Amino acid sequence: MLAWQQIYDPSHNLLLSCAIASTSIVVLLALLAIWHVRAHIAALVALGCSAAIAIFYYGMPPGLVAASATYGAAFGLFPIGWIVLNAIFIYEISVATNQFEALKHQVVGLADDQRLQALLIAFCFGAFIEGAAGFGAPVAISGALLIGLGFTPLRAAQLALIGNTAPVAFGSLGIPIDMLNKVTGIHLDLLSQMVGRLLPPFSFIVPFWLVAVHSGWRGMRQIWPACFVVGMSFAVTQFAVSNYFGPRLVDLASSLVSMGSLVLLLKFWKPKKDPGHQPEPLPPPSKIPGPRTHPLRPWIPWIALSCFVFLWSLGNLQPVKYALNNHFLTPEIPIRYLDGAVFEVPPIVTEPHARPAVFKLNWLSATGTALLLAGLVSGLALGISPSGLVRLYARTVMRVRISLLTIALMLALGYTASFSGSDITMGLAFAATGSWFPFFSPLLGWLGVALTGSDTSSNALFGHLQQVTAGQIGVPAILTTAANSAGGVMGKMIDAQSIVVASVAVAAREHRLSAGVILRSVFWHSLALAILVGLWVAAIAYWFPSLIVK
């Protein structure tokens, strides 16, 4: 095994090093957004560019570069691709059994206005799935549901991505906050409280922003009471749970409260009709194919999804969890040549240490397996035979095969950048901004999520750097570390993984939409919201320090 130590500024000029380090990302974005190259081809070209930079600029041995890309591709397929595949499988079950038409009938009966449907599905229901599963599942499911309700493919993808912002910092039962605690040593509850003070203003804003994107400012003003109720109920619950109960159930509680608040509001208030949208006529319930049974029948796949994912993630059945996580059933596979071969150095760590590279094949205890079981149970409950489920699953695999390849290539690109140190070079450029750092701190988290596709990974990547830089400029470390997670949520809508997942959701309804088109539709929204988070963090640092958790 060849040991290799990362070098973060090979040019001895941080600005030049940052420009070179970001080349592969610029190439990827240009290929997707400007030249409309297919996502998997763009990812492959960008991966080649990143590998060349790692070898010829950073001096990383080619064997380590290949191992890094392999590690990333494996993580892209499992657990991320595994989760996405089984989330789409559940959706296909709903469609194949005609329960989606019945579900659409119920949703339209509750709110026949697309603006309200966007709030209910893209924001509230998407936040619930983010809180339980994460890893792209909310974008895939929300996007598919919106298309089924009559939204255009581009609009469905756009709204699903914008809606999947506010809950990301506490997604998948608080795992991003867990990671921030591990890399900084700051108490978990304190981090939860600080993130819970940074995000609520944006949890309040996003519903207004979401509807404005769909219907314009005039359309948003016509339903402002619904936006207000959804945003305020989510923000207040998010603050209360994160500050008084911890990070685990923040998204689940906030989404349920906001969903219930919207349903209650619609009992007493109805908006003016949206002049820009004429709802497509729905067949009467008697014309919907399939048996007419209990009104909960269309919700069986989603109820099963929620129950399985919640039990799997929360781990109430500890003996089962321990059995599923043992080394025989979930082997840990060291990545040959890479495990322990790359040494991180200050300021990322206090002293040089070897970075582990172990792939844990936890397929039995992964969220994707919970989604698969939910699909199988709901499919049998809805009358699909075992052989029919096998055929439907095979069809789902064929439908998303190119997207799974793209996810693998995107993660290979991210891991190559991470192990070569090029992402740290870009992070250090942000950290060099001195007194401006509180503003740029959330943008660093935004960059981390855009690069890695995960708020958890961004916190692992830049959490300690945020802590060290805060100490150098005299700002409380808990503010900048929490800002990394809070700013990162805005990068979620433009990371390559989420863009690809959104295109999977679109493809699930036989439409085709390039990843570049989706990326262009959300990029400026992502950047604008990230800048607003930066301004909020800077204001707290210099004008409202009483909001900082002590």
Side-chain angles (χ1 to χ4, degrees):
M1 183 179 65
L2 178 64
W4 177 76
Q5 183 170 290
Q6 290 179 334
I7 304 171
Y8 303 133
D9 187 11
S11 298
H12 304 291
N13 181 316
L14 190 56
L15 186 60
L16 177 59
S17 294
C18 180
I20 295 173
S22 62
T23 301
S24 59
I25 305 303
V26 173
V27 168
L28 175 66
L29 295 178
L31 290 174
L32 287 174
I34 299 176
W35 288 296
H36 308 287
V37 175
R38 295 186 69 182
H40 63 285
I41 297 175
L44 184 61
V45 173
L47 174 59
C49 181
S50 181
I53 292 172
I55 294 170
F56 298 110
Y57 184 64
Y58 285 93
M60 189 178 188
L64 294 184
V65 173
S68 300
T70 302
Y71 189 17
F75 186 79
L77 291 175
F78 190 91
I80 296 172
W82 182 236
I83 291 172
V84 172
L85 170 64
N86 291 310
I88 295 297
F89 177 53
I90 291 177
Y91 171 77
E92 290 294 337
I93 287 172
S94 180
V95 173
T97 56
N98 295 306
Q99 296 309 310
F100 189 83
E101 290 300 318
L103 175 64
K104 182 166 68 173
H105 224 285
Q106 292 186 19
V107 172
V108 172
L110 177 66
D112 62 354
D113 190 305
Q114 277 199 338
R115 297 167 295 182
L116 297 176
Q117 293 168 4
L119 288 175
L120 188 65
I121 301 299
F123 187 79
C124 299
F125 187 64
F128 182 85
I129 301 300
E130 177 66 37
F135 289 105
V139 174
I141 293 172
S142 297
L145 287 171
L146 288 172
I147 290 175
L149 289 168
F151 288 74
T152 65
L154 177 59
R155 187 67 78 203
Q158 187 182 37
L159 296 178
L161 288 165
I162 294 174
N164 189 42
T165 50
V168 167
F170 295 101
S172 199
L173 298 170
I175 290 177
I177 308 300
D178 271 333
M179 180 57 70
L180 205 55
N181 161 252
K182 290 177 182 177
V183 299
T184 64
I186 300 175
H187 196 280
L188 182 70
D189 289 340
L190 297 180
L191 289 168
S192 175
Q193 292 169 23
M194 191 68 248
V195 175
R197 298 182 187 190
L198 293 178
L199 277 180
F202 302 95
S203 299
F204 177 72
I205 290 172
V206 167
F208 291 91
W209 199 294
L210 189 75
V211 175
V213 167
H214 177 56
S215 299
W217 293 105
R218 181 179 178 184
M220 182 270 290
R221 289 197 300 270
Q222 291 176 343
I223 67 158
W224 73 264
C227 298
F228 181 89
V229 166
V230 168
M232 182 60 71
S233 60
F234 192 99
V236 170
T237 307
Q238 185 181 60
F239 171 82
V241 176
S242 62
N243 274 260
Y244 298 105
F245 298 97
R248 305 294 179 200
L249 301 178
V250 173
D251 286 346
L252 296 176
S254 301
S255 59
L256 290 174
V257 169
S258 62
M259 203 178 308
S261 299
L262 178 59
V263 171
L264 183 62
L265 173 69
L266 293 177
K267 298 289 185 182
F268 305 98
W269 169 86
K270 297 292 181 183
K272 295 181 180 178
K273 294 295 182 182
D274 183 1
H277 169 66
Q278 295 296 326
E280 58 178 286
L282 294 177
S286 59
K287 298 295 183 181
I288 297 175
R292 295 177 61 191
T293 54
H294 197 278
L296 282 180
R297 183 179 174 83
W299 293 93
I300 286 177
W302 315 107
I303 294 172
L305 177 151
S306 303
C307 292
F308 272 91
V309 170
F310 186 73
L311 289 174
W312 230 250
S313 302
L314 200 59
N316 283 335
L317 304 176
Q318 287 299 335
V320 177
K321 293 287 285 187
Y322 289 142
L324 295 178
N325 277 309
N326 73 58
H327 290 293
F328 177 74
L329 294 176
T330 60
E332 295 183 351
I333 306 170
I335 304 300
R336 191 176 181 186
Y337 304 122
L338 184 64
D339 184 34
V342 174
F343 280 74
E344 296 176 326
V345 298
I348 300 304
V349 291
T350 53
E351 59 184 28
H353 76 89
R355 181 172 176 178
V358 178
F359 179 66
K360 186 175 182 181
L361 191 60
N362 59 339
W363 66 277
L364 278 178
S365 59
T367 300
T369 302
L371 294 175
L372 175 60
L373 291 175
L376 295 175
V377 169
S378 60
L380 293 172
L382 292 172
I384 303 179
S385 66
S387 60
L389 285 173
V390 172
R391 289 193 298 270
L392 185 60
Y393 196 80
R395 191 175 77 188
T396 305
V397 172
M398 290 299 296
R399 180 165 289 174
V400 303
R401 66 190 186 281
I402 298 299
S403 298
L404 295 179
L405 171 64
T406 305
I407 292 173
L409 290 171
M410 292 294 185
L411 268 293
L413 167 63
Y415 272 56
T416 301
S418 177
F419 276 89
S420 69
S422 62
D423 51 2
I424 301 299
T425 301
M426 290 182 275
L428 291 173
F430 279 99
T433 54
S435 61
W436 284 88
F437 184 67
F439 169 75
F440 284 105
S441 177
L443 293 177
L444 180 56
W446 176 79
L447 173 68
V449 174
L451 289 174
T452 66
S454 163
D455 203 45
T456 302
S457 298
S458 177
N459 288 343
L461 186 63
F462 291 134
H464 183 71
L465 177 63
Q466 297 269 15
Q467 187 178 31
V468 170
T469 306
Q472 293 174 346
I473 66 172
V475 173
I478 192 171
L479 175 63
T480 57
T481 53
N484 192 85
S485 195
V489 306
M490 303 309 175
K492 188 65 177 174
M493 72 175 83
I494 63 164
D495 78 82
Q497 170 193 316
S498 293
I499 296 295
V500 171
V501 169
S503 69
V504 172
V506 170
R509 292 291 287 181
E510 303 294 346
H511 296 285
R512 293 293 181 266
L513 192 64
S514 75
V517 171
I518 298 174
L519 175 63
R520 286 201 306 276
S521 74
V522 296
F523 181 83
W524 296 111
H525 299 289
S526 172
L527 182 59
L529 285 166
I531 290 173
L532 290 177
V533 178
L535 293 172
W536 175 229
V537 172
I540 291 176
Y542 296 122
W543 297 331
F544 308 112
S546 60
L547 293 177
I548 300 175
V549 175
K550 299 297 190 291

